[in-house]
Amino acid sequence: MTAPDPDWLAEVTEQALIAQFGHHATQAGISYAKNGRVGRISQGGGGQEVVFTAQVRGSGYRSYQTVVRYRPASGWLSSTCSCPVRNQCKHGVAVLWAARTAQVKLATPSWQRALEQVADQVRRAETPGTPLALQFDRGSTGQITLRPLMRGKQ
């Protein structure tokens, strides 16, 4: 048996989670992950399955034990939780999103993370898909600065 491709988690998109968990659970789970409600994530499994377990702090500040299982060969994804919903809940989304975010940060080169921070200021103000350019300036001290530019702006 071969181990699952370690990059599969980077392919988990918001749209894929909506298809699996529903819109409300996905939005709430992503919010939980971004707000730091997911505890330490343990990864296990072997062979053809990946298993994530973590505690997730719920809306009432109760912690729920959540287990997410993924089988890459079939694309099967399932979550179980100690919350009242029991499976395919927002806590499962939170664990996946937090694991994905942690993996993507580790896999993304430092130069790309730095450029994403520069582009964030433009991204917040403009519509998605706006072409950007970067202006590189070297100051008299030799320090290099970056400035995001957009077509038509001065």
Side-chain angles (χ1 to χ4, degrees), residues 88-105:
Q88 304 306 82
C89 64
K90 60 188 172 187
H91 307 108
V93 173
V95 170
L96 274 170
W97 199 259
R100 176 190 182 277
T101 302
Q103 182 193 36
V104 168
K105 282 183 182 173

Side-chain angles (χ1 to χ4, degrees), residues 19-41:
Q20 185 75 28
F21 291 86
H23 183 77
H24 175 72
T26 299
Q27 295 305 310
I30 289 172
S31 176
Y32 277 23
K34 288 181 178 179
N35 289 322
R37 292 181 176 221
V38 179
R40 184 177 165 273
I41 300 172

Side-chain angles (χ1 to χ4, degrees), residues 8 20 49-50 68-79:
W8 73 269
Q20 185 75 28
E49 187 174 77
V50 178
V68 177
R69 291 178 174 7
Y70 175 67
R71 294 181 187 151
S74 64
W76 180 80
L77 179 66
S78 176
S79 76

Side-chain angles (χ1 to χ4, degrees), residues 107-124:
T108 304
S110 59
W111 64 266
Q112 188 173 350
R113 288 193 307 268
L115 289 179
E116 286 173 357
Q117 290 175 359
V118 171
D120 270 348
Q121 60 186 302
V122 175
R123 212 177 284 135
R124 281 185 231 117

